[in-house]
Amino acid sequence: MSDKSEKGRELSEEELQELVAASDAGARNPVGSVGTFLAVVAITWSAFQVLLASPLANLLLPGSVINNSRQIHLAFAIFLAFMAYPALKSSPRHYIPIQDWILGLAGVFCALYGYIFYQKIVDRGGLADDVDKWFALAGLVLLFEAARRALGPVMAIIAVIFLCYVFFGSSEFVPDQIRWAGASLKKAMSHMWITSEGVFGIALNVSTKFVFLFVLFGALLDKAGAGNYFIKMAFGALGHLRGGPAKAAVVGSAATGLISGSSIANVVTTGTFTIPLMKRVGFSSEQAGAVEVASSVNGQIMPPVMGAAAFLMVEYVGISYVEVITHAFLPAVISYIALVYIVHLEAVKRNMPTIGNKVVSLGRTIGGMFVFFAGFAALCYLTQYPVRAVMSVMGDASGWVLSLLVFLAYVLLVKLASTTEDLELDDPKSEILELPEIAKIYKSGLYYLLPIIVLVYFLMIERKSPGLSAFWATFLLFGILLTQRPLKAMFRGESEWTNTFREGVVDLLQGLIDGARNMIGIGLATATAGVIVGTVSLTGIGQVMADFVEFLSGGNLILMLIFVAILSLILGMGLPTTANYIVVSSLMVGVVVELGAQSGLIVPLIAVHLFVFYFGIMADVTPPVGLASFAAAAVSGGDAIKTGFIAFFYSLRTVALPFVFIFNTDLLLIDVTWFQGIIVFIIATIGILVFTAGTMGWFITKSNIVESIVLILIAFTLFRPGFFMNMIQPPFIERAPTELIQAVGDASPGQEMRVVVSGPDFDTLEMKDVSLLVPVSEEEGGEQRLETLGLTVLEEGETLIVEEPFPGTRYFEKLGSFDFYGDTPVTVTAVRAPSDQMPKELMFIPALLLLAAIAWLQSRRAPANREGVPA
């Protein structure tokens, strides 16, 4: 793969599809009866997952099947992995060797072992016996081999290393800092395979309950033709602008990212059309590929359908999926805005030509796109009012009435689509290229928005579970795939309804197959990552890692975050995003939160998880192994490594944003009002555009080094105004430890105190510090307010001694690691009371004035025809 791209040869369409298949769905595709059998297995898997997510699951499926759905999910994934992915490069592609049949069936048995022998395991209290442990060990070996085939060797190697630590953690060659007592084979296998602490843990449960439905939803939506429609609409809106093909690639990839859970498939799907057009207007092969990579990979962070890691956050953070996508929305949007601006600046710097003879205003285009997205959001939101009116009138029959209304809307939209020709992608290499007219093509695919509206409605308005929301949207897609062709034929007066219905059935079955094959890697990644999670919970390595990382970073939060980012990037060279996220979040999230607290910074858990997630998505970009970069190079004929580095440079805003929202959680819309959210969006958008201009060396015209540095400083100020405000006016007043009661009593209700507690560790007796965030309650008097929180303090001279909190109180777990009964008391060593600081937003004023000054300076020396605004 890499050799072809590095030599500069563009791959054919057939070779590109083979590349996607080898990366996402397996390179082996046997024909004949075996191929039919595997297709039936894939369809059965998809049907089982749809049934499992349906409201009728409890009626149609036995309780034992529902309770052991994770085992069944993994059994399908392992079997199809051995069928679809060859063991070696030299292994046959057109038939399945007998050893792979044996391995696949053995993997199925081991995966279903807990289901088959469920009663025996329950009777033993979930502990493995001498027989169980060997089947569990065999299951792990088969899982690792399946993961090696589907995901590459890195995932399996990391899991084996963690498993070796479980067994040999007590050996002398293990450093004292991370040595532990070790575990027997029986105990380890019980933890990893028999219970739900390891392979069959949270990650595989999320893959089973949520992720499969969303991947299937995307596969079916793409099979219906929505991907082509979104690309056409993007080119119709943006293709005529300067650098238009690249801008259309960004927007089209953002839309198709909703459909495809794979950045590689996204690159090839949109890239085969966008990359040749980008090259036509002046982008180099590597730049064209890099734009496509940066925009395709970012599809995983774009709500409402994010990557599989977003569903894991729901479980790990303990918040709803709606909250996850709310927090992720603003960074994702401004990241894409910045990428469009990067493309625009590249086009302006090179004075690139436009395609076609259509004169388009950039302002009108942006305004039109804003109206479309705002209208779509308003439609999703306003749908609740007629729905509730129907429910109030119709009562129990409202479900049938609403289904009928959705069907009627669908039929009307298909009738509208039948008045235009079905969309076909143009040849981007043809000498004369007519870009589509929005006014002519928008009608042809409006009904594709219906499943998305249903999905967003159930997720955001009804607040249903992600699985149930995806079920109803997928169920609607079943109907669309089966009926869109016959309905169009009927409205066009064509007679061959039977043939069109047969084509719809084929599309539906192929979509079910694609959804299942696309899930093989995700299912194996979440199962294998469960070994890492299980090791952390069994050995307690998480706390050891926290101490180790704190030692490396010297207690500095910035260095700590850089360390976590580098670890994510290194792991990203060999792991898919989901697996990377599970590994790094299991090891590092708690460390970052704890270290932030010790630094006096309260970092919300969701912020740290999104930090890890953002660096995890760089897995497909990061050279030298970024698979999306290789795929783009295969399309463009450019150098793969160079494409990867340029894509990483274009992704700098994705790299910078996580550091920003760790220190300014307003970007995640945490504890902000609607009005504040709008202000944050406007300022953040300006900030990301200024940051982009600073890093690209071009604003209104070419920037000198001083202007570039000042632009980056302006962006930093807009993103984190509190940094400079804290220099002018400290946010906290240092009070003596013995003044804690008085300080809490003086503070206004709702304010928060920072209190540092020091004392000996219960296990090591070494002195340590713990930072507490102490909210001020409504009670009168500091002593009463502290007692409400469960904090009891005694003043002895110049020392304020802390007594052990009672179980169940706010700080019992936080302070539980101290030794309260030794010779050295646990004391309060620092008290920081909030000061009356001016609003940090005042720093926006000098930043914006400085930005206006740079704009004025550059406008004076900018050539009239290179001002950056396309005609």
PDB file of all heavy atoms in Angstrom, residues 509-540:
ATOM      1  N   LEU A 509     -29.777  -5.509   1.924  1.00  0.00           N
ATOM      2  CA  LEU A 509     -28.934  -6.628   2.358  1.00  0.00           C
ATOM      3  C   LEU A 509     -27.460  -6.251   2.313  1.00  0.00           C
ATOM      4  O   LEU A 509     -26.691  -6.598   3.214  1.00  0.00           O
ATOM      5  CB  LEU A 509     -29.204  -7.859   1.477  1.00  0.00           C
ATOM      6  CG  LEU A 509     -30.607  -8.473   1.592  1.00  0.00           C
ATOM      7  CD1 LEU A 509     -30.768  -9.637   0.627  1.00  0.00           C
ATOM      8  CD2 LEU A 509     -30.883  -8.928   3.018  1.00  0.00           C
ATOM      9  N   GLN A 510     -27.057  -5.532   1.272  1.00  0.00           N
ATOM     10  CA  GLN A 510     -25.654  -5.119   1.184  1.00  0.00           C
ATOM     11  C   GLN A 510     -25.303  -4.135   2.292  1.00  0.00           C
ATOM     12  O   GLN A 510     -24.202  -4.165   2.852  1.00  0.00           O
ATOM     13  CB  GLN A 510     -25.374  -4.475  -0.180  1.00  0.00           C
ATOM     14  CG  GLN A 510     -23.896  -4.225  -0.465  1.00  0.00           C
ATOM     15  CD  GLN A 510     -23.074  -5.491  -0.421  1.00  0.00           C
ATOM     16  OE1 GLN A 510     -23.397  -6.469  -1.083  1.00  0.00           O
ATOM     17  NE2 GLN A 510     -21.994  -5.467   0.369  1.00  0.00           N
ATOM     18  N   GLY A 511     -26.249  -3.263   2.655  1.00  0.00           N
ATOM     19  CA  GLY A 511     -26.017  -2.347   3.767  1.00  0.00           C
ATOM     20  C   GLY A 511     -25.861  -3.086   5.084  1.00  0.00           C
ATOM     21  O   GLY A 511     -25.011  -2.730   5.912  1.00  0.00           O
ATOM     22  N   LEU A 512     -26.675  -4.148   5.296  1.00  0.00           N
ATOM     23  CA  LEU A 512     -26.539  -4.964   6.506  1.00  0.00           C
ATOM     24  C   LEU A 512     -25.185  -5.664   6.543  1.00  0.00           C
ATOM     25  O   LEU A 512     -24.547  -5.767   7.600  1.00  0.00           O
ATOM     26  CB  LEU A 512     -27.670  -5.991   6.564  1.00  0.00           C
ATOM     27  CG  LEU A 512     -29.091  -5.445   6.753  1.00  0.00           C
ATOM     28  CD1 LEU A 512     -30.116  -6.560   6.616  1.00  0.00           C
ATOM     29  CD2 LEU A 512     -29.233  -4.755   8.099  1.00  0.00           C
ATOM     30  N   ILE A 513     -24.735  -6.136   5.381  1.00  0.00           N
ATOM     31  CA  ILE A 513     -23.416  -6.790   5.309  1.00  0.00           C
ATOM     32  C   ILE A 513     -22.311  -5.782   5.591  1.00  0.00           C
ATOM     33  O   ILE A 513     -21.385  -6.049   6.374  1.00  0.00           O
ATOM     34  CB  ILE A 513     -23.222  -7.444   3.917  1.00  0.00           C
ATOM     35  CG1 ILE A 513     -24.207  -8.597   3.733  1.00  0.00           C
ATOM     36  CG2 ILE A 513     -21.788  -7.938   3.757  1.00  0.00           C
ATOM     37  CD1 ILE A 513     -24.252  -9.139   2.308  1.00  0.00           C
ATOM     38  N   ASP A 514     -22.405  -4.609   4.966  1.00  0.00           N
ATOM     39  CA  ASP A 514     -21.368  -3.581   5.169  1.00  0.00           C
ATOM     40  C   ASP A 514     -21.310  -3.148   6.629  1.00  0.00           C
ATOM     41  O   ASP A 514     -20.221  -2.953   7.190  1.00  0.00           O
ATOM     42  CB  ASP A 514     -21.656  -2.366   4.275  1.00  0.00           C
ATOM     43  CG  ASP A 514     -21.445  -2.659   2.803  1.00  0.00           C
ATOM     44  OD1 ASP A 514     -20.837  -3.711   2.494  1.00  0.00           O
ATOM     45  OD2 ASP A 514     -21.900  -1.864   1.970  1.00  0.00           O
ATOM     46  N   GLY A 515     -22.481  -2.971   7.255  1.00  0.00           N
ATOM     47  CA  GLY A 515     -22.497  -2.572   8.652  1.00  0.00           C
ATOM     48  C   GLY A 515     -21.808  -3.591   9.535  1.00  0.00           C
ATOM     49  O   GLY A 515     -21.021  -3.230  10.433  1.00  0.00           O
ATOM     50  N   ALA A 516     -22.072  -4.884   9.294  1.00  0.00           N
ATOM     51  CA  ALA A 516     -21.446  -5.937  10.094  1.00  0.00           C
ATOM     52  C   ALA A 516     -19.948  -5.994   9.858  1.00  0.00           C
ATOM     53  O   ALA A 516     -19.156  -6.087  10.808  1.00  0.00           O
ATOM     54  CB  ALA A 516     -22.097  -7.289   9.766  1.00  0.00           C
ATOM     55  N   ARG A 517     -19.522  -5.922   8.611  1.00  0.00           N
ATOM     56  CA  ARG A 517     -18.085  -6.018   8.328  1.00  0.00           C
ATOM     57  C   ARG A 517     -17.341  -4.806   8.870  1.00  0.00           C
ATOM     58  O   ARG A 517     -16.205  -4.921   9.325  1.00  0.00           O
ATOM     59  CB  ARG A 517     -17.845  -6.186   6.818  1.00  0.00           C
ATOM     60  CG  ARG A 517     -18.352  -7.498   6.271  1.00  0.00           C
ATOM     61  CD  ARG A 517     -17.825  -7.802   4.887  1.00  0.00           C
ATOM     62  NE  ARG A 517     -16.395  -8.053   4.875  1.00  0.00           N
ATOM     63  CZ  ARG A 517     -15.771  -8.791   3.955  1.00  0.00           C
ATOM     64  NH1 ARG A 517     -16.472  -9.364   2.997  1.00  0.00           N
ATOM     65  NH2 ARG A 517     -14.467  -8.949   3.985  1.00  0.00           N
ATOM     66  N   ASN A 518     -17.981  -3.637   8.836  1.00  0.00           N
ATOM     67  CA  ASN A 518     -17.336  -2.446   9.399  1.00  0.00           C
ATOM     68  C   ASN A 518     -17.206  -2.517  10.915  1.00  0.00           C
ATOM     69  O   ASN A 518     -16.403  -1.796  11.511  1.00  0.00           O
ATOM     70  CB  ASN A 518     -18.129  -1.189   9.024  1.00  0.00           C
ATOM     71  CG  ASN A 518     -18.046  -0.858   7.549  1.00  0.00           C
ATOM     72  OD1 ASN A 518     -17.155  -1.341   6.846  1.00  0.00           O
ATOM     73  ND2 ASN A 518     -18.973  -0.063   7.058  1.00  0.00           N
ATOM     74  N   MET A 519     -18.023  -3.375  11.548  1.00  0.00           N
ATOM     75  CA  MET A 519     -17.990  -3.481  13.010  1.00  0.00           C
ATOM     76  C   MET A 519     -16.962  -4.488  13.516  1.00  0.00           C
ATOM     77  O   MET A 519     -16.704  -4.543  14.721  1.00  0.00           O
ATOM     78  CB  MET A 519     -19.372  -3.886  13.532  1.00  0.00           C
ATOM     79  CG  MET A 519     -20.267  -2.741  13.902  1.00  0.00           C
ATOM     80  SD  MET A 519     -19.564  -1.636  15.145  1.00  0.00           S
ATOM     81  CE  MET A 519     -19.366  -2.743  16.533  1.00  0.00           C
ATOM     82  N   ILE A 520     -16.402  -5.297  12.634  1.00  0.00           N
ATOM     83  CA  ILE A 520     -15.475  -6.337  13.085  1.00  0.00           C
ATOM     84  C   ILE A 520     -14.329  -5.717  13.886  1.00  0.00           C
ATOM     85  O   ILE A 520     -14.043  -6.124  15.016  1.00  0.00           O
ATOM     86  CB  ILE A 520     -14.913  -7.133  11.885  1.00  0.00           C
ATOM     87  CG1 ILE A 520     -16.026  -7.887  11.172  1.00  0.00           C
ATOM     88  CG2 ILE A 520     -13.841  -8.119  12.359  1.00  0.00           C
ATOM     89  CD1 ILE A 520     -15.583  -8.532   9.868  1.00  0.00           C
ATOM     90  N   GLY A 521     -13.681  -4.720  13.300  1.00  0.00           N
ATOM     91  CA  GLY A 521     -12.528  -4.095  13.957  1.00  0.00           C
ATOM     92  C   GLY A 521     -12.904  -3.405  15.253  1.00  0.00           C
ATOM     93  O   GLY A 521     -12.170  -3.489  16.245  1.00  0.00           O
ATOM     94  N   ILE A 522     -14.064  -2.718  15.266  1.00  0.00           N
ATOM     95  CA  ILE A 522     -14.473  -2.005  16.479  1.00  0.00           C
ATOM     96  C   ILE A 522     -14.783  -2.991  17.594  1.00  0.00           C
ATOM     97  O   ILE A 522     -14.401  -2.803  18.749  1.00  0.00           O
ATOM     98  CB  ILE A 522     -15.687  -1.105  16.184  1.00  0.00           C
ATOM     99  CG1 ILE A 522     -15.317  -0.020  15.171  1.00  0.00           C
ATOM    100  CG2 ILE A 522     -16.206  -0.459  17.468  1.00  0.00           C
ATOM    101  CD1 ILE A 522     -16.472   0.850  14.733  1.00  0.00           C
ATOM    102  N   GLY A 523     -15.493  -4.076  17.257  1.00  0.00           N
ATOM    103  CA  GLY A 523     -15.805  -5.080  18.261  1.00  0.00           C
ATOM    104  C   GLY A 523     -14.555  -5.689  18.865  1.00  0.00           C
ATOM    105  O   GLY A 523     -14.447  -5.850  20.088  1.00  0.00           O
ATOM    106  N   LEU A 524     -13.581  -6.010  18.019  1.00  0.00           N
ATOM    107  CA  LEU A 524     -12.329  -6.600  18.515  1.00  0.00           C
ATOM    108  C   LEU A 524     -11.508  -5.580  19.294  1.00  0.00           C
ATOM    109  O   LEU A 524     -10.842  -5.923  20.283  1.00  0.00           O
ATOM    110  CB  LEU A 524     -11.515  -7.157  17.342  1.00  0.00           C
ATOM    111  CG  LEU A 524     -12.146  -8.338  16.608  1.00  0.00           C
ATOM    112  CD1 LEU A 524     -11.313  -8.710  15.388  1.00  0.00           C
ATOM    113  CD2 LEU A 524     -12.294  -9.526  17.526  1.00  0.00           C
ATOM    114  N   ALA A 525     -11.528  -4.318  18.857  1.00  0.00           N
ATOM    115  CA  ALA A 525     -10.757  -3.280  19.556  1.00  0.00           C
ATOM    116  C   ALA A 525     -11.290  -3.075  20.973  1.00  0.00           C
ATOM    117  O   ALA A 525     -10.513  -2.979  21.936  1.00  0.00           O
ATOM    118  CB  ALA A 525     -10.823  -1.963  18.770  1.00  0.00           C
ATOM    119  N   THR A 526     -12.610  -3.012  21.115  1.00  0.00           N
ATOM    120  CA  THR A 526     -13.176  -2.798  22.459  1.00  0.00           C
ATOM    121  C   THR A 526     -12.960  -4.018  23.351  1.00  0.00           C
ATOM    122  O   THR A 526     -12.721  -3.875  24.550  1.00  0.00           O
ATOM    123  CB  THR A 526     -14.682  -2.487  22.359  1.00  0.00           C
ATOM    124  OG1 THR A 526     -15.328  -3.489  21.570  1.00  0.00           O
ATOM    125  CG2 THR A 526     -14.916  -1.132  21.726  1.00  0.00           C
ATOM    126  N   ALA A 527     -13.024  -5.223  22.763  1.00  0.00           N
ATOM    127  CA  ALA A 527     -12.798  -6.432  23.559  1.00  0.00           C
ATOM    128  C   ALA A 527     -11.342  -6.525  24.006  1.00  0.00           C
ATOM    129  O   ALA A 527     -11.053  -6.820  25.180  1.00  0.00           O
ATOM    130  CB  ALA A 527     -13.179  -7.670  22.743  1.00  0.00           C
ATOM    131  N   THR A 528     -10.418  -6.270  23.085  1.00  0.00           N
ATOM    132  CA  THR A 528      -8.991  -6.366  23.429  1.00  0.00           C
ATOM    133  C   THR A 528      -8.598  -5.275  24.415  1.00  0.00           C
ATOM    134  O   THR A 528      -7.806  -5.520  25.340  1.00  0.00           O
ATOM    135  CB  THR A 528      -8.129  -6.265  22.152  1.00  0.00           C
ATOM    136  OG1 THR A 528      -8.622  -7.181  21.174  1.00  0.00           O
ATOM    137  CG2 THR A 528      -6.673  -6.602  22.457  1.00  0.00           C
ATOM    138  N   ALA A 529      -9.149  -4.079  24.233  1.00  0.00           N
ATOM    139  CA  ALA A 529      -8.857  -3.003  25.183  1.00  0.00           C
ATOM    140  C   ALA A 529      -9.376  -3.342  26.572  1.00  0.00           C
ATOM    141  O   ALA A 529      -8.859  -2.834  27.579  1.00  0.00           O
ATOM    142  CB  ALA A 529      -9.483  -1.694  24.704  1.00  0.00           C
ATOM    143  N   GLY A 530     -10.381  -4.228  26.650  1.00  0.00           N
ATOM    144  CA  GLY A 530     -10.864  -4.664  27.948  1.00  0.00           C
ATOM    145  C   GLY A 530      -9.797  -5.355  28.778  1.00  0.00           C
ATOM    146  O   GLY A 530      -9.847  -5.333  30.018  1.00  0.00           O
ATOM    147  N   VAL A 531      -8.801  -5.969  28.123  1.00  0.00           N
ATOM    148  CA  VAL A 531      -7.685  -6.581  28.846  1.00  0.00           C
ATOM    149  C   VAL A 531      -6.877  -5.510  29.566  1.00  0.00           C
ATOM    150  O   VAL A 531      -6.460  -5.692  30.715  1.00  0.00           O
ATOM    151  CB  VAL A 531      -6.797  -7.385  27.875  1.00  0.00           C
ATOM    152  CG1 VAL A 531      -5.555  -7.915  28.595  1.00  0.00           C
ATOM    153  CG2 VAL A 531      -7.579  -8.535  27.259  1.00  0.00           C
ATOM    154  N   ILE A 532      -6.660  -4.361  28.894  1.00  0.00           N
ATOM    155  CA  ILE A 532      -5.923  -3.266  29.529  1.00  0.00           C
ATOM    156  C   ILE A 532      -6.719  -2.714  30.712  1.00  0.00           C
ATOM    157  O   ILE A 532      -6.180  -2.502  31.801  1.00  0.00           O
ATOM    158  CB  ILE A 532      -5.622  -2.156  28.501  1.00  0.00           C
ATOM    159  CG1 ILE A 532      -4.565  -2.607  27.499  1.00  0.00           C
ATOM    160  CG2 ILE A 532      -5.109  -0.906  29.198  1.00  0.00           C
ATOM    161  CD1 ILE A 532      -5.042  -3.115  26.219  1.00  0.00           C
ATOM    162  N   VAL A 533      -8.021  -2.496  30.492  1.00  0.00           N
ATOM    163  CA  VAL A 533      -8.872  -1.987  31.573  1.00  0.00           C
ATOM    164  C   VAL A 533      -8.901  -2.976  32.738  1.00  0.00           C
ATOM    165  O   VAL A 533      -8.814  -2.587  33.914  1.00  0.00           O
ATOM    166  CB  VAL A 533     -10.302  -1.722  31.055  1.00  0.00           C
ATOM    167  CG1 VAL A 533     -11.203  -1.259  32.189  1.00  0.00           C
ATOM    168  CG2 VAL A 533     -10.285  -0.683  29.941  1.00  0.00           C
ATOM    169  N   GLY A 534      -9.006  -4.268  32.417  1.00  0.00           N
ATOM    170  CA  GLY A 534      -9.017  -5.284  33.456  1.00  0.00           C
ATOM    171  C   GLY A 534      -7.711  -5.333  34.235  1.00  0.00           C
ATOM    172  O   GLY A 534      -7.712  -5.539  35.460  1.00  0.00           O
ATOM    173  N   THR A 535      -6.601  -5.117  33.543  1.00  0.00           N
ATOM    174  CA  THR A 535      -5.306  -5.090  34.230  1.00  0.00           C
ATOM    175  C   THR A 535      -5.230  -3.927  35.203  1.00  0.00           C
ATOM    176  O   THR A 535      -4.734  -4.074  36.338  1.00  0.00           O
ATOM    177  CB  THR A 535      -4.162  -4.982  33.198  1.00  0.00           C
ATOM    178  OG1 THR A 535      -4.224  -6.097  32.305  1.00  0.00           O
ATOM    179  CG2 THR A 535      -2.801  -4.959  33.885  1.00  0.00           C
ATOM    180  N   VAL A 536      -5.740  -2.782  34.797  1.00  0.00           N
ATOM    181  CA  VAL A 536      -5.720  -1.604  35.664  1.00  0.00           C
ATOM    182  C   VAL A 536      -6.543  -1.860  36.928  1.00  0.00           C
ATOM    183  O   VAL A 536      -6.114  -1.548  38.049  1.00  0.00           O
ATOM    184  CB  VAL A 536      -6.251  -0.365  34.909  1.00  0.00           C
ATOM    185  CG1 VAL A 536      -6.401   0.816  35.856  1.00  0.00           C
ATOM    186  CG2 VAL A 536      -5.309  -0.002  33.764  1.00  0.00           C
ATOM    187  N   SER A 537      -7.721  -2.454  36.773  1.00  0.00           N
ATOM    188  CA  SER A 537      -8.579  -2.696  37.936  1.00  0.00           C
ATOM    189  C   SER A 537      -8.055  -3.829  38.816  1.00  0.00           C
ATOM    190  O   SER A 537      -8.232  -3.807  40.030  1.00  0.00           O
ATOM    191  CB  SER A 537     -10.005  -3.009  37.483  1.00  0.00           C
ATOM    192  OG  SER A 537     -10.034  -4.196  36.705  1.00  0.00           O
ATOM    193  N   LEU A 538      -7.377  -4.818  38.215  1.00  0.00           N
ATOM    194  CA  LEU A 538      -6.895  -5.957  38.994  1.00  0.00           C
ATOM    195  C   LEU A 538      -5.621  -5.640  39.764  1.00  0.00           C
ATOM    196  O   LEU A 538      -5.459  -6.047  40.917  1.00  0.00           O
ATOM    197  CB  LEU A 538      -6.652  -7.149  38.058  1.00  0.00           C
ATOM    198  CG  LEU A 538      -6.103  -8.439  38.696  1.00  0.00           C
ATOM    199  CD1 LEU A 538      -7.094  -8.990  39.712  1.00  0.00           C
ATOM    200  CD2 LEU A 538      -5.814  -9.482  37.617  1.00  0.00           C
ATOM    201  N   THR A 539      -4.724  -4.877  39.143  1.00  0.00           N
ATOM    202  CA  THR A 539      -3.393  -4.662  39.730  1.00  0.00           C
ATOM    203  C   THR A 539      -3.241  -3.342  40.459  1.00  0.00           C
ATOM    204  O   THR A 539      -2.291  -3.165  41.224  1.00  0.00           O
ATOM    205  CB  THR A 539      -2.324  -4.718  38.625  1.00  0.00           C
ATOM    206  OG1 THR A 539      -2.528  -3.620  37.713  1.00  0.00           O
ATOM    207  CG2 THR A 539      -2.401  -6.029  37.849  1.00  0.00           C
ATOM    208  N   GLY A 540      -4.145  -2.377  40.192  1.00  0.00           N
ATOM    209  CA  GLY A 540      -3.976  -1.056  40.793  1.00  0.00           C
ATOM    210  C   GLY A 540      -2.867  -0.255  40.147  1.00  0.00           C
ATOM    211  O   GLY A 540      -2.360   0.705  40.740  1.00  0.00           O
TER     212      GLY A 540
END
